[in-house]
Amino acid sequence: ILIVCTIVAVTLSALFVNIAMNTTFNKYMTDVQKQRNERIVQYFTDIYKKNGKWSSNSGDELIHEAYMSNYCLTLLDENKNMVWGMNPKDINNNSYTHTMMGEAGKGVYTTKTFNINLDGKTVGYVIVGQYYAVLLSEQDINFKNSINKGIAVSTILTVLIVTGISLVISKQFSRPIKEVSDISAQLSKGDLEVRSNIKSNIIEINSLIKSINMLGEKLKGQDLLRKRLISDISHEIRTPLNILQNNLEAMIDGILPVTIDRLNSLDEEVIRFGKLLNNLNSLKQFDTEEVKLNMVSVSLKELLSQVCEDFYTLAKEKNINIYFKAEENEFTILGDIDKLKQVFINLISNSIKFSKQNGNVWVNLKQRDDKVMIEIRDDGIGIKKEDLPYIFERLYRGDKSRQMISGNGIGLTIAKKILDLHLASIEVDSEENKGTIFTVCFP
């Protein structure tokens, strides 16, 4: 496209320059011929003024110039009788005319008659005839040819230069775009490891390359998450079913006696299985936007104080200390109190669950600029850096050390969806074996 546009533009420019040059040059030559005609009339006027009459050799001095310049002169007296003249065939047979104009006889012989006046009286007439409207000398033709050659050479050089530049520039576009296209095709075929290492000086191309690489990383992460999700959910479902099946078969075969304790244990597995299904159903409701919020005025200070108080007994059993601290503000927001309580129960219970014996959990409520911040911090086992981006994904429970602790990996997913409905944000910062900080911000 660049090359074609350049060729068209340069060719049109050369054409217009050539037309303008020829038009200007022809006008210039017409003016020259006009001055020549005035000079011829003035010459015959001076001859008549000098001699007082016409003679058969009055124009002899102009014959050579006229012959070389390819025009023909005829002198008439005041009665339009021929006094002196040249033969038009002489200039038509002129070899120079053939060279300049092509084959003889192709031009149309035209004449112009000019009056020769002296003291207000017409004393004669001079007829100037020529085969072409504009007569060019050898120097004129050489000049026009050199100009046309210059335009042609400039056009060719410009096209060659721009072609080279266009190829370089287009390669900077086409090469990375083609690679991005190939990468996207490979990604669509399931090759999630492919990446582009091309660097470009074009900002938009660099942005495109970064985007396709980022897409590859996200697809790879989602694929790993999907595989892990399938593994985790099958494990969550298989474990209670296996326990139920093995115990029931043992009771049916008479290997184990049917006791109240064993039945209660089986009932707990059924309840655990039911909780998983309920959580999955809750996620489905959030995904399909079936959840309805009962928005009321909520005091976050009272809500957090109550949730922390509910966990004091559980924390004491693990020798874990819970510290609640709130600044001197009301911290009242609009929200669904039950859903918000579910969020903070989940976050605080996780902090207790993943804390070590004699650990600590801090719950801080404060205001920063125009936001209300709740910071829930612990000094527990922490979260690995590679797991942090995925902890809000459904059924994601990180490394095996965290999977050993009961849970199905849905609580944080539900908590984030509840906070999204409240236009709130949640962030996590953690360091393995040093602790985790969850920060919730309400506008």
Side-chain angles (χ1 to χ4, degrees):
I1 290 172
L2 288 169
I3 293 171
V4 170
C5 289
T6 300
I7 291 174
V8 171
V10 171
T11 303
L12 288 175
S13 298
L15 180 63
F16 292 144
V17 168
N18 186 267
I19 291 172
M21 189 276 294
N22 280 313
T23 302
T24 304
F25 189 76
N26 289 339
K27 183 177 180 300
Y28 163 75
M29 293 306 299
T30 301
D31 292 340
V32 169
Q33 287 185 183
K34 183 179 178 182
Q35 293 173 8
R36 179 205 66 188
N37 294 335
E38 291 174 353
R39 180 171 52 80
I40 292 171
V41 170
Q42 185 62 45
Y43 169 81
F44 282 111
T45 302
D46 292 341
I47 289 292
Y48 188 86
K49 187 176 181 180
K50 178 181 178 182
N51 299 326
K53 61 178 182 178
W54 301 115
S55 64
S56 60
N57 59 356
S58 293
D60 287 350
E61 293 183 7
L62 294 177
I63 289 177
H64 179 71
E65 179 189 336
Y67 181 77
M68 294 303 296
S69 298
N70 296 289
Y71 61 88
C72 182
L73 298 176
T74 302
L75 179 63
L76 306 177
D77 62 14
E78 65 270 17
N79 297 319
K80 294 192 175 181
N81 296 318
M82 183 174 175
V83 176
W84 169 88
M86 296 171 60
N87 188 350
K89 291 182 179 180
D90 291 340
I91 63 170
N92 195 28
N93 295 326
N94 187 354
S95 61
Y96 176 64
T97 305
H98 297 173
T99 303
M100 181 176 65
M101 300 298 183
E103 295 181 8
K106 282 193 174 181
V108 178
Y109 187 75
T110 58
T111 61
K112 284 186 179 182
T113 302
F114 301 94
N115 295 352
I116 301 173
N117 298 319
L118 184 63
D119 298 332
K121 179 184 176 183
T122 299
V123 296
Y125 303 90
V126 62
I127 300 173
V128 180
Q130 58 192 45
Y131 280 94
Y132 294 90
V134 178
L135 295 175
L136 302 177
S137 65
E138 186 175 2
Q139 291 80 5
D140 296 332
I141 292 174
N142 290 337
F143 174 75
K144 285 189 71 173
N145 289 339
S146 64
I147 291 294
N148 289 329
K149 286 180 181 177
I151 293 173
V153 171
S154 299
T155 301
I156 294 170
L157 284 177
T158 302
V159 169
L160 291 176
I161 292 169
V162 174
T163 298
I165 295 173
S166 299
L167 289 173
V168 173
I169 293 175
S170 61
K171 193 173 182 180
Q172 290 182 0
F173 279 96
S174 60
R175 186 184 170 201
I177 289 176
K178 184 179 182 302
E179 179 158 331
V180 168
S181 176
D182 293 340
I183 288 174
S184 63
Q186 288 177 272
L187 289 175
S188 67
K189 293 177 182 177
D191 183 3
L192 304 181
E193 298 292 337
V194 63
R195 299 291 183 271
S196 175
N197 296 320
I198 287 182
K199 300 294 181 182
S200 174
N201 296 325
I202 302 165
I203 296 174
E204 292 80 3
I205 296 294
N206 267 335
S207 177
L208 180 63
I209 293 169
K210 287 180 182 177
S211 297
I212 198 70
N213 286 339
M214 192 180 299
L215 175 63
E217 289 294 334
K218 287 189 175 181
L219 287 175
K220 181 182 176 182
Q222 288 297 319
D223 186 61
L224 292 174
L225 194 63
R226 177 181 59 83
K227 291 176 181 176
R228 190 165 187 170
L229 173 64
I230 293 171
S231 173
D232 287 348
I233 198 169
S234 64
H235 172 75
E236 291 292 336
I237 293 173
R238 184 172 61 250
T239 300
L241 288 179
N242 283 341
I243 292 173
L244 287 171
Q245 182 181 8
N246 293 336
N247 279 272
L248 287 172
E249 287 177 351
M251 290 178 186
I252 292 170
D253 294 339
I255 298 173
L256 292 176
V258 179
T259 64
I260 296 298
D261 290 339
R262 285 197 176 90
L263 290 175
N264 286 334
S265 175
L266 296 179
D267 184 55
E268 288 176 2
E269 292 300 323
V270 173
I271 292 172
R272 178 185 168 193
F273 187 58
K275 285 181 179 179
L276 173 62
L277 295 179
N278 287 337
N279 284 335
L280 290 173
N281 186 58
S282 297
L283 274 181
K284 173 179 168 289
Q285 290 178 344
F286 280 107
D287 289 337
T288 56
E289 298 182 353
E290 295 177 1
V291 175
K292 304 295 181 184
L293 296 180
N294 181 24
M295 305 298 277
V296 295
S297 180
V298 180
S299 171
L300 289 176
K301 185 183 289 187
E302 293 180 6
L303 178 62
L304 287 168
S305 176
Q306 181 184 346
V307 172
C308 289
E309 190 174 336
D310 292 340
F311 277 106
Y312 282 147
T313 303
L314 176 63
K316 191 173 182 180
E317 291 176 358
K318 291 183 66 177
N319 292 325
I320 295 173
N321 299 312
I322 297 180
Y323 302 98
F324 173 62
K325 181 180 178 182
E327 293 180 353
E328 294 297 326
N329 284 320
E330 290 299 324
F331 298 112
T332 302
I333 64 167
L334 194 65
D336 186 318
I337 190 168
D338 292 329
K339 294 287 190 296
L340 292 176
K341 188 174 183 180
Q342 182 180 354
V343 170
F344 297 123
I345 286 174
N346 182 275
L347 295 177
I348 295 174
S349 66
N350 278 348
S351 293
I352 294 172
K353 189 188 300 181
F354 295 106
S355 289
K356 302 171 184 177
Q357 288 287 336
N358 303 315
N360 299 287
V361 175
W362 295 269
V363 180
N364 298 320
L365 177 60
K366 53 192 174 181
Q367 182 172 343
R368 292 295 179 268
D369 298 327
D370 57 345
K371 294 183 181 296
V372 177
M373 294 177 60
I374 298 98
E375 187 180 87
I376 299 171
R377 179 165 58 93
D378 64 66
D379 52 5
I381 64 175
I383 304 171
K384 286 186 176 180
K385 187 177 180 180
E386 59 268 26
D387 290 328
L388 281 176
Y390 307 109
I391 64 166
F392 295 110
E393 299 288 346
R394 61 196 66 193
L395 293 168
Y396 191 89
R397 291 193 294 140
D399 59 277
K400 292 183 178 180
S401 64
R402 295 177 68 85
Q403 290 181 17
M404 293 172 65
I405 300 173
S406 63
N408 50 44
I410 295 178
L412 287 177
T413 307
I414 294 176
K416 187 176 188 309
K417 289 186 177 293
I418 291 173
L419 291 172
D420 288 342
L421 291 175
H422 285 80
L423 303 180
S425 64
I426 181 169
E427 295 179 356
V428 60
D429 185 26
S430 183
E431 192 172 346
E432 195 174 6
N433 295 320
K434 288 191 176 181
T436 303
I437 303 173
F438 282 94
T439 305
V440 178
C441 291
F442 289 91

